[in-house]
Amino acid sequence: MRAYREAYVSPQGNKGLTQEELLRRMAAVDREYGERFSHATVSRWESGSTRPTAHRLKVFGEALGLTSTEVAGLLLLAGLAPDFESALVVSTGAGRSRERQMEESPAPEPNLAFAGSPEFRGSRNTSSILMGAMRLLATRWLPLATFTVLTGYTFSVIGWDDSWMPIVFISLVTALVLIQGLILPEPENRFREFLWVTLFFLMTTPLIQFAPVKMDHYGLNAIDGISGTFVPYMLALLVNLSVASVAGVMFHVLWGFQNSGNREETIALRRAAIAVVPPVALVYLVAIVFSNTSIFIQYALVLPPVAATFTAMLALRDPSVQFTERRREFLLSMALAIIFVTSILGSVALLGIFLSPDYPMILPDHSLLGSWEIDLAGLGYTRAEALDHLNLGYLWHALTVFAYLELL
């Protein structure tokens, strides 16, 4: 139905109809379509969340000037006829006989996706949702974790060099995660892939901040026996990968269950928030417990906008949310203005913090679980030199996060 609506060419040569225009044309055939239905109803028709009726499809075909063959094809696709010949009989015979089946009934196999998009398609049953979550762990977490371990051991065979190898190691793993999640995502789960990859990226960039002082924000480099090797960075990357993957599973399950019932029971924004906020909160909880003060302060500034952005993106893709062309233009203009202003303010803030001599830098020597000593002399730094290196690392970390969020 959506394909026919968007492909419709008016006598004036204009291509496509809005959902409101479609209803007006259908109301000209049967006035009840102008009295009882709205664009949200059309969205449910097009997404498959309500079962079509023969009467509706014939009114739809007459409103768009479809041939009886095209209407028969719609009837056959909707399962309202056993074969094409029967569908053709229904479409041509008793075409105006008013099959009063205006009560909308649930579709037999509604998809978990938004209208016209492939995300989260599949059965709404619990086993399908859980299988999708397990597939994420099997096809994403396991290969990436294996690559992380093998890369770390490869660097150790070459000869681990603390001066440059940590950044290369972190960059390689991060690049592969971004490629898998953003360039080669699962077609039916693009939004989920985008979310968990973003969370992994935000959890990993602090490693760039502390790499110049040969430390990490989890304190793994302070553990005797593995300090100064590739192991702390490998473990930190595995922690980030595991937490981000669990967050992706949480989103997949929550979003699946949010859409397993009647979509009209809750508003789109609430459904989106229930699916997005808990995974983001999990990442912040991990930062509070296992990371140091500077990191969860930074996360407190970064994660809420990320959660708000993903919630808004998810809600706006819901078929029940529709905008007029004027409102779309207004929202686009506002979004561009916000991006421009925040870009300037963010750049100024980053440079101000980097250039400020009195801005306090916090060494990664504590977490909520405890504190540890950093052997600065063994690392070859004075405290002042370590803080200078940390300041430079902060600049690279912040610029990386800022660039990613601007692209987001």
Side-chain angles (χ1 to χ4, degrees):
M1 293 181 73
R2 180 177 180 176
Y4 277 116
R5 174 175 63 82
E6 293 179 343
Y8 177 79
V9 179
S10 70
Q12 293 76 30
N14 298 322
K15 185 176 180 180
L17 293 172
T18 66
Q19 293 174 338
E20 290 84 356
E21 289 169 341
L22 172 63
L23 280 178
R24 284 197 292 270
R25 296 186 68 87
M26 293 179 72
V29 180
D30 184 338
R31 61 186 179 85
E32 287 198 57
Y33 283 90
E35 299 170 354
R36 298 186 53 184
F37 300 106
S38 68
H39 65 80
T41 311
V42 178
S43 294
R44 292 194 295 276
W45 296 348
E46 295 180 343
S47 67
S49 60
T50 55
R51 183 192 297 272
T53 64
H55 175 72
R56 182 209 307 159
L57 292 179
K58 285 191 283 186
V59 171
F60 175 80
E62 188 170 345
L64 297 188
L66 303 184
T67 65
S68 57
T69 301
E70 289 173 312
V71 175
L74 289 173
L75 291 167
L76 189 62
L77 287 173
L80 297 174
D83 51 53
F84 184 77
E85 290 73 15
S86 301
L88 193 60
V89 170
V90 174
S91 67
T92 55
R96 303 289 180 82
S97 63
R98 304 292 196 191
E99 300 97 330
R100 293 299 183 182
Q101 299 176 3
M102 304 302 290
E103 291 290 328
E104 301 296 337
S105 59
E109 292 186 3
N111 66 56
L112 207 55
F114 299 122
S117 72
E119 282 89 335
F120 313 113
R121 285 189 178 169
S123 171
R124 287 186 177 184
N125 59 60
T126 301
S127 62
S128 176
I129 295 171
L130 296 180
M131 284 298 293
M134 294 302 296
R135 189 169 63 251
L136 183 150
L137 296 177
T139 62
R140 292 309 195 216
W141 179 87
L142 186 58
L144 290 169
T146 302
F147 174 82
T148 301
V149 173
L150 292 177
T151 303
Y153 276 100
T154 300
F155 278 133
S156 71
V157 171
I158 296 172
W160 183 255
D161 186 340
D162 271 348
S163 63
W164 60 273
M165 280 191 175
I167 297 298
V168 175
F169 185 22
I170 295 164
S171 300
L172 283 174
V173 175
T174 303
L176 185 61
V177 171
L178 293 178
I179 289 170
Q180 276 214 358
L182 301 182
I183 300 177
L184 301 171
E186 292 185 7
E188 69 276 13
N189 292 302
R190 292 179 184 275
F191 197 92
R192 182 197 69 189
E193 303 280 80
F194 189 20
L195 177 62
W196 85 261
V197 165
T198 297
L199 295 177
F200 172 83
F201 183 87
L202 295 177
M203 296 181 71
T204 300
T205 48
L207 292 173
I208 299 174
Q209 179 176 349
F210 296 114
V213 293
K214 303 176 183 178
M215 293 297 296
D216 63 273
H217 54 299
Y218 297 124
L220 298 171
N221 265 295
I223 299 176
D224 292 335
I226 62 173
S227 178
T229 70
F230 74 96
V231 177
Y233 296 101
M234 181 184 73
L235 293 177
L237 289 168
L238 289 176
V239 168
N240 294 343
L241 184 61
S242 299
V243 174
S245 298
V246 170
V249 169
M250 287 179 62
F251 171 80
H252 185 94
V253 172
L254 289 171
W255 182 241
F257 284 124
Q258 279 299 300
N259 289 275
S260 61
N262 190 339
R263 298 178 73 96
E264 291 184 312
E265 291 179 358
T266 56
I267 61 174
L269 186 61
R270 180 180 176 184
R271 289 198 302 272
I274 290 174
V276 171
V277 173
V280 176
L282 171 67
V283 171
Y284 190 56
L285 180 62
V286 170
I288 290 176
V289 175
F290 297 101
S291 189
N292 70 334
T293 306
S294 64
I295 297 304
F296 64 72
I297 289 176
Q298 292 175 37
Y299 281 5
L301 299 175
V302 173
L303 290 179
V306 168
T309 300
F310 274 94
T311 299
M313 290 168 59
L314 193 60
L316 290 174
R317 295 169 69 88
D318 194 286
S320 65
V321 178
Q322 299 292 328
F323 296 104
T324 63
E325 190 64 29
R326 178 175 296 181
R327 180 165 292 184
R328 289 182 184 276
E329 292 176 356
F330 172 76
L331 290 175
L332 177 60
S333 301
M334 287 296 296
L336 293 174
I338 291 172
I339 291 172
F340 178 75
V341 172
T342 54
S343 298
I344 294 176
L345 293 178
S347 301
V348 170
L350 290 176
L351 291 175
I353 292 174
F354 176 68
L355 297 175
S356 175
D358 299 322
Y359 186 82
M361 284 287 137
I362 303 173
L363 289 172
D365 58 0
H366 64 280
S367 70
L368 191 64
L369 299 178
S371 60
W372 50 89
E373 292 292 331
I374 299 177
D375 184 10
L376 294 176
L379 295 174
Y381 300 126
T382 65
R383 184 176 180 83
E385 289 172 338
L387 292 176
D388 287 340
H389 284 292
L390 197 61
N391 194 26
L392 180 61
Y394 163 78
L395 178 65
W396 286 112
H397 160 229
L399 286 174
T400 304
V401 172
F402 180 71
Y404 184 86
L405 292 180
E406 287 299 305
L407 293 174
L408 175 67

